Amino acid sequence: MSTTADPLAALGSLPGVAASVESVRKAVDRVYGHRVMRRRSNEVTSEAALRGARGSAALSGADWALEEVRRRTDFGGEGEPRTVGAALRLTAEAGQLLSVWRQSPLRVLARLHLVAAGGAQADDTVGRPRLRGESVDEPLVDLPLPDADEVSGRLEGLAALLIAGTEAPALVTAAVVHGELLALRPFGSCNGLVARAAERIVLVGSGLDPKSICPAEVGHAEQGRDAYAAALEGYVSGTPDGLAAWITHCGRAAELGVRESTAVCEALQRGAA
């Protein structure tokens, strides 16, 4: 497929992107080769899911300690408990939607928002893109908000690209999906949580991380909200340098997620986890 027909693949030639793609691939290969993965990969997957949910919630304003997330069972309250609960539900749901994603990304995004909202919004705004005049509750993303018509058109365009298929590396596709959803904020709430869950779906469904053991959400949180916001501004700018900065930021997040799961593997090997 040519880069003209495959604009996602063209992003792979941006400065620094190819090196980031290769670095992520090598990191993922190393953790998949860990001896613990031969017999205990399910445990690593479960722990990665928990840590990824914690990281995603932290970026949405609920920065809880991992052990607090592990210990708690009640996430039905308002504020931070609801955010953490939404992140946990999304992480659990993402793995069930891989086959649907390949055929209908927009259907999956609607489902993700429905799961994230979790009944918190008892109205017809849940599970669909916002309409003209509807507000967005996303205080941690301080960027101009595209209008509903632009949101609709860009979502349709993104879905068409994904359904048609791309030769772009998984990291590039995941970063674009993540960045586009944050830029558009198509739903009335939970857009950050949904965007990071969609990034996970792409990384897993692409075959880069088939067992979902490399939680990029951990890396996004570790780099901090300020760096996350600055990289997103680069994506929204649409400039080659800005797009490259966002993709490499997502690559670093994935590598940090690999580091987290490598530590889990080492702990399991020592019998300490």
Side-chain angles (χ1 to χ4, degrees), residues 29-49:
D29 286 348
R30 282 195 297 271
V31 72
Y32 270 83
H34 197 287
R35 61 188 301 178
V36 165
M37 289 295 295
R38 298 173 193 166
R39 296 184 179 179
R40 306 182 70 177
S41 63
N42 288 343
E43 293 173 69
V44 181
T45 296
S46 295
E47 189 65 20

Side-chain angles (χ1 to χ4, degrees), residues 4-86:
T4 300
D6 190 357
L8 292 179
L11 298 177
S13 64
L14 292 172
V17 170
S20 182
V21 167
E22 181 65 10
S23 182
V24 170
R25 186 191 63 77
K26 288 180 177 179
V28 172
D29 286 348
R30 282 195 297 271
V31 72
Y32 270 83
H34 197 287
R35 61 188 301 178
V36 165
M37 289 295 295
R38 298 173 193 166
R39 296 184 179 179
R40 306 182 70 177
S41 63
N42 288 343
E43 293 173 69
V44 181
T45 296
S46 295
E47 189 65 20
L50 182 71
R51 294 177 186 222
R54 193 218 72 81
S56 189
L59 285 169
S60 286
D63 192 1
W64 289 13
L66 178 64
E67 291 310 312
E68 178 68 6
V69 178
R70 195 190 307 278
R71 180 188 66 82
R72 287 283 289 267
T73 57
D74 178 14
F75 300 100
E78 296 295 316
E80 292 188 5
R82 191 171 74 190
T83 298
V84 175

